[in-house]
Amino acid sequence: RTLESIEKEVLERLRSAYRFSWNLPYTREVLASCSHLMVCSDRDVYPNFTQDIDLSSDVGGRVVTTLLRLARRVYREYQRALWDADELEDLNTKEEEMVEKVTKVFEARRRRVGREEALAKAEKKMVELRGNQFADEDTIEAAADRLEELRYDLNEAKGIEAVIASEIEAPDARESSFHMYGDVGVLLVDTRWNRVSADGTQTMSQPLISNDQMLKFESMIENNNSPRALIVCTEFPLVEMDRKETLNVRCGGEHNLTDFHSVNSSFALNGTLQKKLLDMIFDWKKRERYRQVLLMSGGLCHGLDTVIKVRNTEWAIQQLTTGPLTDRPQEVRCQRTGSVLDGYYEYEHDALSHQRNYGEALIFAKYGEPSTINAQLVGQYFARVGCICGPVIGKVTDDSAVILVEVDNEAPITCLVCDCLSGVILRSTKLLAARRPHAFVFDGLEADRHYTVRFDGFVNPDDRMGSFTTRRRDGDSGEGFSLNLVFLSGERGNVAGGGMSSLTEEKKMEDSAPSSVWTILGDASQHPWSGMDAVIHLGGQVDINSACAAAVVLLARAEREEEGSHAEKMLLAEALDHLREAYRTSWSLPGTREALARGSHLMLRGALDFGSLLLGRRGEHSVTISGKAKRRLRSLVQQVYREYQRQLWDPEGIADAPMLGCSRTEDEGDGNNGEWHFHQWGTVGVFCMDVKETKLWKSRSGGNESDMPLISDEQWRCFSDAISVENLTNLIICCEVPFVSDSIGDARYKATDAQHSHLVEHWPYHGSELLRLLNGLFDWRQSRGGTAEVTLICGGISVGVDSLLKHASSGSEIRQIITGPAAAEPDSDLWAERTGVLDSSISYEHGPVTLVHNCVLAKFSSSPGGEGAVNAQADILTVADFSSTVESVDGGLKRRPGHLAQLHKDKERKKSDVTLISSGGSEEEVEEQRFALNLILLEKVLARDDIQKGLQAVFSRLHAGDSKSFDNPIDFSRIANKVLTRYYYSSPAALRDVAIPPNLYILETVAKMWEEGTIGLVEKERPVSGKKKTKEELQEEWDAKKGGGKKYNVPLALMGKEQFTRFVQEAFKNALVVRMNVLLQGRSEKMKM
């Protein structure tokens, strides 16, 4: 193959890179839609191609020079052609001529080298002849003549080489360019090709910008048609940090990111040129008062909005550093403020971290008026985007979680889920529609791990954090099966027979009264491994009555508009937003929002989720409504239910097929309006029934609605499928209303009274269906050998009742638990007979009535190893009982993995123990080395002045003087976690590089170790009191300890700034220990598989 054919193939390979990049989705459309100018970057050819020693002619020879020459040719064909297409042919012609001359130079050089070698051999031979006493003079004289000839030939070859080489062009200075748009000038500054000669040879000694270029720049911007506004574009920012900081941060120091050559193209390491450019630009600006300048650059993979000022003056220029547009953003490592060139120029950066971005500028330049440039960085996340609902944690399994959130404007939002043990952060970024809930779904999570949830993209993300714990896989670590479920009803105001609900309007209570169920639930569920696997809401999570009344007015107006018109669509959209607002309001109340953001929540729909208007009940919101408006309202109410509640377990677009025992959506079939669902954890199954579908969707026109069945045929089929699961031994059936409150006859009689008309929606009124259900359940128990357990859990009557249903012929029993209210006002009694019969074989007996706020806690467990039957226990708990159960240290719900304690253990090591493993070494040795190096870096970073000041600011927000806030590790970690997490995500990149995000588990564990004396200066354990102490009592105890001659840590409530900083260091260090042990444990388990 000839050299020419090889060069053609290389050119095609290089061109294919442009074809691929410029034809990517969206890239092609953008490039084809507006004007484009480009500045060459090293990545358009090869990283640091002007300085890389492997691309020098001394190493790569003619191969690399030819490659660089061809790369520049392709650059010109694609990028320079955008503004200089006319000269491309001339440039290519000159390049071909230059190639011929370069070829002659190489040939001349080869002749010259050959003659140098011949001359060296001749000189060596002459030395040998003169040292030989037997050599005659004729031989020596002939050798001398030969030497003269060779010297003449060598000089001739050198001369020819020099002449040919002199004909090769000097480095082309025309890759920079200047463009005028009216009175706006755009100067594109090239800092790459001046260091590559015309034949492709590196010329490292050349400056980034030649003197010829600088002179051209001055003549371009200062002429008869001088611009009034100037945009100067460079590959790297003209001002980022000074030379010393660049050498420390970029080329060594604590990060040791890269070598000197790879950053030698930055202006900080080319101070003379940096001064020339800044002086030229400022001088141009000072000559006329109307002139404005904007500096634009990239190259850092993060955004900077910088103001550059002349020291002790008002002269300033804005500089925007943009990017990346598609690459992964990097950390901002430069200081916020500083100076360059011996302090003559000062700068102040405003960083845009962790976001892809671009720059935009609105320029106004008109003769006779001052010019203005309004420039800004446009980040990946939009400004002033608010979160209006969420996060709400939906279904959580051993390897997945659903997280619901809603924002007020269309915006890209990132959900970050962080494993509190390994520190691994999973990210998911979605473009969320405005004012519509969206579910983030995370798969591939680790089992039995606690995760924290955080968002990027809207304001105040620290106030919208959440957490959850994945379930332990059954049988893992030899531990037995365990499941705890909380059931709530009556979370809102009372509506007769409605299944009360939502999370608002708690009953007003005296200050001395215990907290509500929601308060306890919110506090307890934030604990890592809290033990509450799911909270199941038994209907009516919002009171949608007011929203329906407002929506009906809009729907009535929509009826008068032409069908399909824009006006009709706008009215329907406004009505839909009213219904969504009911959810936003209810789920964003203080206390409610925090509780929903933690743990796992599943919901079944109830009466309040529809409203009295759709259910045909008369009340304060009763209005006249047409049939069309009612059908539309019904459809919209169902839509918002599916958007907010169903998405918690069935995110849109996730389920490829209907799930076992669950209703289908409208997209999956005609007339699928039911909302029942089934969930299984090991041998435990929960079926959530829907008793409103037939009333609202299947009632016959003109017929009696009370004669309609409660349960559709499709729901019966799904229920049958669910209970047919082979390993199901514990079944819970949930409903918003009681299964058995009255006897069938009593319910029929009482429903004739208007005050009890709601009973037509209860099970006893539909006796045949109730008996079908109960007889089927008794038969199911018998089919499983009588060992299977069935529990009915329901709400709807604002009291708590534990009832027992008995089957006479089989002797089987089924327990029914009526729960509620969780927050609404309790009723005064159970208005039903305490005993009764449903038919000849089934009787019931109601137990004592609970007339205070309550909930149901169902616990399932088996012996270690998972062998034997699963024991089930379900109880009605008052607020006080619930609080003591979930908060109890011994015998409570918390079930932290048994191996956690081992993860906090670390062997003693000295700094001298850290040795680099050059090659080989086990995974354990490599991981321990990484850990040791991170510890050293962490100590250095925490010792920095800016980090110390930041931690002191965190300490000031802890309210450390109030001992009632935290006199124990749990309370302390709750407060410290919030303020420390907020600081961490805004801290310098150096800290986030080496430290794992703080979390409640690590802080609580380290706080306990601090109190117990296993870290710090403690030599002996200090007893931890179970009751709260005043600050004076703690101070007395502390003084007594100090007087004993022993060393103790300062109590948490008495910490000062120094002690708190030391505590934070211990927390970050302990997190690294846990991370190392988790990784080693994971690798060990993989080796066993």
Side-chain angles (χ1 to χ4, degrees):
R1 300 173 63 182
T2 63
L3 179 60
E4 182 179 359
S5 65
I6 293 175
E7 288 190 3
K8 286 183 179 180
E9 184 176 348
V10 171
L11 285 172
E12 281 302 304
R13 294 277 185 100
L14 295 173
R15 288 167 182 152
S16 66
Y18 278 90
R19 294 167 187 152
F20 174 80
S21 298
W22 288 10
N23 275 295
L24 290 172
Y26 303 111
T27 302
R28 181 177 62 192
E29 289 77 5
V30 171
L31 292 175
S33 302
C34 59
S35 175
H36 295 271
L37 298 173
M38 300 183 181
V39 175
C40 183
S41 164
D42 65 333
R43 295 187 181 274
D44 292 326
V45 179
Y46 186 84
N48 194 37
F49 69 90
T50 57
Q51 296 286 311
D52 195 311
I53 194 67
D54 291 332
L55 297 183
S56 66
S57 58
D58 293 335
V59 175
R62 191 176 181 185
V63 172
V64 296
T65 59
T66 302
L67 180 61
L68 289 179
R69 174 175 57 80
L70 296 178
R72 177 167 55 192
R73 181 171 182 174
V74 173
Y75 153 75
R76 287 173 172 172
E77 290 176 352
Y78 284 86
Q79 298 193 44
R80 180 167 177 153
L82 297 175
W83 56 268
D84 189 25
D86 295 337
E87 292 191 19
L88 277 183
E89 187 175 349
D90 180 52
L91 288 172
N92 290 338
T93 301
K94 291 183 177 180
E95 183 181 294
E96 291 173 359
E97 295 175 354
M98 181 271 300
V99 170
E100 294 180 3
K101 295 176 181 178
V102 168
T103 302
K104 294 179 180 179
V105 169
F106 272 101
E107 292 176 354
R109 185 174 301 164
R110 187 164 53 250
R111 288 195 298 269
R112 186 252 304 165
V113 171
R115 292 177 182 180
E116 285 177 344
E117 292 175 352
L119 178 60
K121 291 180 180 179
E123 288 177 342
K124 182 179 180 181
K125 185 176 181 179
M126 175 61 76
V127 172
E128 293 175 352
L129 286 174
R130 287 178 175 170
N132 186 354
Q133 57 181 340
F134 300 107
D136 55 51
E137 292 184 1
D138 292 339
T139 303
I140 294 175
E141 185 176 352
D145 293 340
R146 179 56 181 166
L147 275 178
E148 289 300 322
E149 291 177 5
L150 290 174
R151 290 192 180 103
Y152 177 82
D153 292 343
L154 177 60
N155 290 332
E156 181 183 34
K158 287 182 178 180
I160 294 173
E161 181 184 1
V163 171
I164 298 175
S166 65
E167 296 177 357
I168 298 178
E169 295 179 358
D172 191 348
R174 293 181 296 171
E175 302 303 338
S176 299
S177 60
F178 183 71
H179 310 271
M180 288 291 296
Y181 296 88
D183 289 328
V184 179
V186 178
L187 177 61
L188 306 181
V189 179
D190 169 60
T191 57
R192 287 293 173 183
W193 293 112
N194 193 62
R195 287 184 164 181
V196 178
S197 65
D199 67 340
T201 303
Q202 286 180 345
T203 55
M204 298 183 187
S205 59
Q206 292 290 330
L208 295 179
I209 304 174
S210 66
N211 292 329
D212 290 342
Q213 281 181 293
M214 291 298 300
L215 293 174
K216 287 184 179 181
F217 292 164
E218 293 179 2
S219 64
M220 288 174 180
I221 64 177
E222 195 67 75
N223 52 41
N224 294 331
N225 189 26
S226 180
R228 304 173 66 81
L230 178 63
I231 312 297
V232 180
C233 303
T234 56
E235 178 188 357
F236 291 108
L238 194 52
V239 174
E240 181 195 5
M241 44 188 163
D242 62 17
R243 180 182 179 86
K244 181 179 179 181
E245 187 180 359
T246 301
L247 291 173
N248 180 54
V249 175
R250 299 290 186 195
C251 307
E254 58 193 353
H255 298 287
N256 193 24
L257 295 179
T258 183
D259 56 21
F260 175 81
H261 290 295
S262 60
V263 295
N264 195 30
S265 296
S266 64
F267 286 100
L269 301 185
N270 293 271
T272 302
L273 176 62
Q274 184 184 41
K275 187 176 189 308
K276 284 183 180 180
L277 269 177
L278 286 172
D279 289 347
M280 180 191 75
I281 293 169
F282 271 96
D283 289 345
W284 179 87
K285 178 180 172 66
K286 293 176 183 177
R287 290 192 189 106
E288 299 287 349
R289 62 180 178 82
Y290 56 76
R291 292 178 171 176
Q292 292 293 336
V293 178
L294 173 66
L295 306 180
M296 293 293 302
S297 63
L300 301 183
C301 270
H302 60 73
L304 289 177
D305 188 345
T306 308
V307 176
I308 305 171
K309 296 179 61 176
V310 179
R311 183 181 54 193
N312 299 328
T313 71
E314 296 299 322
W315 292 103
I317 289 176
Q318 183 184 13
Q319 172 186 265
L320 290 185
T321 305
T322 70
L325 193 60
T326 57
D327 200 0
R328 181 175 180 178
Q330 295 182 2
E331 298 288 353
V332 179
R333 304 191 182 280
C334 56
Q335 297 294 326
R336 184 173 179 271
T337 59
S339 62
V340 296
L341 302 175
D342 298 324
Y344 185 77
Y345 292 103
E346 299 174 337
Y347 63 85
E348 181 175 350
H349 296 308
D350 184 8
L352 184 63
S353 305
H354 311 296
Q355 297 187 41
R356 297 178 175 90
N357 63 86
Y358 64 91
E360 65 178 14
L362 180 62
I363 306 169
F364 178 82
K366 185 177 180 181
Y367 183 77
E369 298 182 21
S371 302
T372 59
I373 300 179
N374 295 317
Q376 65 177 358
L377 292 174
V378 180
Q380 175 181 350
Y381 307 125
F382 302 160
R384 297 178 294 279
V385 174
C387 178
I388 56 179
C389 186
V392 180
I393 309 298
K395 187 171 183 177
V396 177
T397 68
D398 57 7
D399 63 354
S400 66
V402 179
I403 304 168
L404 188 82
V405 72
E406 182 180 10
V407 293
D408 57 2
N409 289 287
E410 182 182 74
I413 302 297
T414 298
C415 182
L416 302 94
V417 172
C418 180
D419 183 344
C420 75
L421 295 183
S422 68
V424 172
I425 298 178
L426 303 178
R427 292 177 171 85
S428 177
T429 301
K430 305 288 185 182
L431 180 63
L432 303 193
R435 305 181 70 80
R436 180 176 178 180
H438 178 85
F440 286 90
V441 181
F442 287 88
D443 295 309
L445 303 178
E446 294 290 336
D448 207 12
R449 292 285 178 87
H450 186 69
Y451 288 87
T452 58
V453 179
R454 194 176 186 277
F455 293 89
D456 281 338
F458 51 71
V459 296
N460 298 327
D462 299 310
D463 296 329
R464 297 282 184 169
M465 297 179 65
S467 62
F468 62 88
T469 302
T470 54
R471 279 192 48 74
R472 182 178 67 235
R473 292 191 182 93
D474 297 336
D476 277 7
S477 303
E479 300 182 19
F481 176 82
S482 177
L483 176 70
N484 298 313
L485 303 175
V486 177
F487 297 84
L488 298 180
S489 177
E491 304 157 19
R492 190 171 169 81
N494 289 358
V495 175
M500 316 325 145
S501 246
S502 198
L503 317 180
T504 60
E505 294 184 2
E506 295 183 3
K507 178 183 176 183
K508 296 181 179 179
M509 307 175 70
E510 300 294 335
D511 292 340
S512 58
S515 302
S516 71
V517 172
W518 272 105
T519 303
I520 303 302
L521 186 65
D523 290 342
S525 58
Q526 70 175 317
H527 287 299
W529 295 277
S530 66
M532 288 183 287
D533 294 286
V535 178
I536 299 178
H537 306 259
L538 302 177
Q541 281 55 254
V542 297
D543 185 349
I544 210 165
N545 278 321
S546 298
C548 284
V552 164
V553 176
L554 296 168
L555 294 176
R557 290 171 54 190
E559 284 190 74
R560 297 193 290 269
E561 301 293 340
E562 182 180 354
E563 189 169 356
S565 65
H566 177 71
E568 183 195 45
K569 292 178 180 179
M570 293 299 294
L571 289 169
L572 293 177
E574 188 176 351
L576 181 61
D577 195 67
H578 272 286
L579 300 176
R580 288 172 175 157
E581 190 62 34
Y583 279 87
R584 298 169 192 143
T585 301
S586 297
W587 289 7
S588 295
L589 294 174
T592 298
R593 186 181 71 194
E594 289 78 5
L596 290 176
R598 301 160 184 161
S600 174
H601 298 268
L602 301 172
M603 302 177 180
L604 61 88
R605 69 180 179 186
L608 284 183
D609 298 318
F610 288 105
S612 301
L613 189 60
L614 285 177
L615 294 174
R617 297 171 182 168
R618 296 294 176 181
E620 58 178 314
H621 299 293
S622 297
V623 295
T624 302
I625 181 173
S626 68
K628 181 178 180 180
K630 186 173 183 179
R631 289 191 296 273
R632 279 182 166 176
L633 177 62
R634 182 182 64 186
S635 177
L636 294 179
V637 168
Q638 172 147 295
Q639 179 179 336
V640 295
Y641 164 82
R642 288 178 170 174
E643 288 177 349
Y644 287 88
Q645 298 192 46
R646 180 163 181 142
Q647 272 208 101
L648 295 177
W649 58 270
D650 182 22
E652 290 182 346
I654 299 301
D656 296 328
M659 292 175 280
L660 175 67
C662 298
S663 61
R664 297 178 296 171
T665 62
E666 289 179 340
D667 294 333
E668 296 166 338
D670 297 330
N672 295 307
N673 300 298
E675 291 298 340
W676 58 87
H677 43 104
F678 174 72
H679 308 276
Q680 185 176 3
W681 295 270
T683 61
V684 179
V686 176
F687 192 92
C688 300
M689 283 192 156
D690 178 12
V691 294
K692 291 294 185 288
E693 177 200 11
T694 56
K695 177 178 178 62
L696 291 172
W697 274 276
K698 300 185 183 300
S699 59
R700 295 180 296 272
S701 177
N704 190 349
E705 291 185 356
S706 62
D707 294 334
M708 290 299 299
L710 279 180
I711 305 298
S712 65
D713 292 339
E714 180 66 15
Q715 186 170 179
W716 281 117
R717 185 191 64 77
C718 289
F719 177 70
S720 177
D721 292 341
I723 65 175
S724 298
V725 176
E726 290 185 5
N727 66 333
L728 193 64
T729 60
N730 288 272
L731 176 62
I732 295 178
I733 306 174
C734 301
C735 188
E736 62 150 334
V737 294
F739 291 92
V740 178
S741 54
D742 295 287
S743 67
I744 296 174
D746 288 350
R748 284 274 179 174
Y749 174 76
K750 292 166 69 174
T752 60
D753 186 346
Q755 292 184 347
H756 298 283
S757 60
H758 62 275
L759 290 179
V760 300
E761 300 170 19
H762 286 212
W763 282 91
Y765 186 89
H766 301 266
S768 60
E769 290 183 270
L770 175 60
L771 293 175
R772 176 183 177 181
L773 174 66
L774 294 179
N775 283 314
L777 292 175
F778 282 121
D779 290 343
W780 180 77
R781 287 199 65 192
Q782 290 299 112
S783 69
R784 303 277 168 134
T787 58
E789 295 291 337
V790 177
T791 307
L792 309 178
I793 299 181
C794 46
I797 58 175
S798 291
V799 294
V801 182
D802 195 342
S803 307
L804 191 64
L805 282 62
K806 298 181 179 180
H807 193 260
S809 59
S810 66
S812 296
E813 296 179 348
I814 291 178
R815 192 177 175 197
Q816 172 187 265
I817 303 177
I818 304 174
T819 182
E825 183 176 356
D827 207 339
S828 58
D829 200 354
L830 171 64
W831 300 105
E833 296 294 337
R834 294 301 190 267
T835 61
V837 295
L838 300 177
D839 65 3
S840 58
S841 61
I842 301 177
S843 61
Y844 64 88
E845 180 180 354
H846 296 308
V849 180
T850 303
L851 301 177
V852 295
H853 291 166
N854 64 84
C855 64
V856 168
L857 173 62
K859 299 190 290 185
F860 303 87
S861 61
S862 68
S863 58
E867 298 178 357
V870 173
N871 299 316
Q873 179 184 351
D875 299 293
I876 299 175
L877 299 180
T878 65
V879 173
D881 294 337
F882 186 54
S883 176
S884 62
T885 300
V886 299
E887 296 287 354
S888 175
V889 176
D890 298 320
L893 297 184
K894 295 180 183 178
R895 54 161 189 264
R896 293 184 174 175
H899 67 275
L900 284 184
Q902 300 298 321
L903 297 179
H904 296 273
K905 294 183 178 180
D906 180 37
K907 66 180 184 181
E908 294 292 333
R909 55 169 57 84
K910 301 177 181 179
K911 292 185 179 180
S912 58
D913 294 337
V914 181
T915 57
L916 293 178
I917 302 173
S918 58
S919 62
S922 65
E923 290 186 352
E924 182 176 355
E925 291 174 332
V926 172
E927 190 59 46
E928 287 190 354
Q929 179 188 109
R930 183 183 294 113
F931 165 74
L933 293 174
N934 276 339
L935 276 185
I936 296 173
L937 288 175
L938 180 63
E939 291 178 3
K940 290 183 178 180
V941 169
L942 290 175
R944 283 174 34 171
D945 291 340
D946 56 336
I947 302 294
Q948 290 286 318
K949 291 179 181 178
L951 292 177
Q952 291 173 8
V954 171
F955 173 80
S956 67
R957 292 194 292 270
L958 280 176
H959 307 291
D962 184 6
S963 61
K964 294 182 180 180
S965 295
F966 48 84
D967 66 351
N968 62 77
I970 295 178
D971 291 338
F972 171 80
S973 59
R974 287 179 180 175
I975 299 173
N977 181 58
K978 186 172 183 179
V979 293
L980 194 57
T981 299
R982 178 173 298 182
Y983 167 73
Y984 174 87
Y985 283 102
S986 61
S987 65
L991 178 61
R992 297 196 303 276
D993 282 345
V994 296
I996 294 174
N999 61 76
L1000 193 61
Y1001 168 70
I1002 292 295
L1003 292 176
E1004 182 181 321
T1005 303
V1006 174
K1008 289 180 179 179
M1009 296 168 67
W1010 181 277
E1011 292 279 85
E1012 294 169 355
T1014 56
I1015 59 174
L1017 300 176
V1018 181
E1019 296 178 356
K1020 180 180 178 182
E1021 286 191 0
R1022 181 177 76 84
V1024 180
S1025 174
K1027 65 177 183 178
K1028 291 184 177 292
K1029 298 183 178 181
T1030 65
K1031 187 173 181 179
E1032 290 74 18
E1033 290 174 331
L1034 289 169
Q1035 187 66 53
E1036 281 183 22
E1037 183 178 340
W1038 170 238
D1039 292 339
K1041 295 294 183 183
K1042 289 193 297 184
K1046 299 290 185 180
K1047 292 183 178 180
Y1048 292 91
N1049 285 323
V1050 176
L1052 296 171
L1054 299 179
M1055 273 186 177
K1057 294 181 179 179
E1058 293 182 1
Q1059 290 86 2
F1060 178 74
T1061 302
R1062 184 161 57 88
F1063 172 86
V1064 172
Q1065 182 175 355
E1066 293 288 347
F1068 282 135
K1069 175 183 176 181
N1070 195 266
L1072 291 178
V1073 172
V1074 171
R1075 178 186 181 182
M1076 177 191 69
N1077 289 329
V1078 166
L1079 294 177
L1080 292 177
Q1081 184 183 77
R1083 287 170 182 159
S1084 176
E1085 291 175 355
K1086 288 182 180 179
M1087 292 291 291
K1088 295 178 181 179
M1089 296 176 62

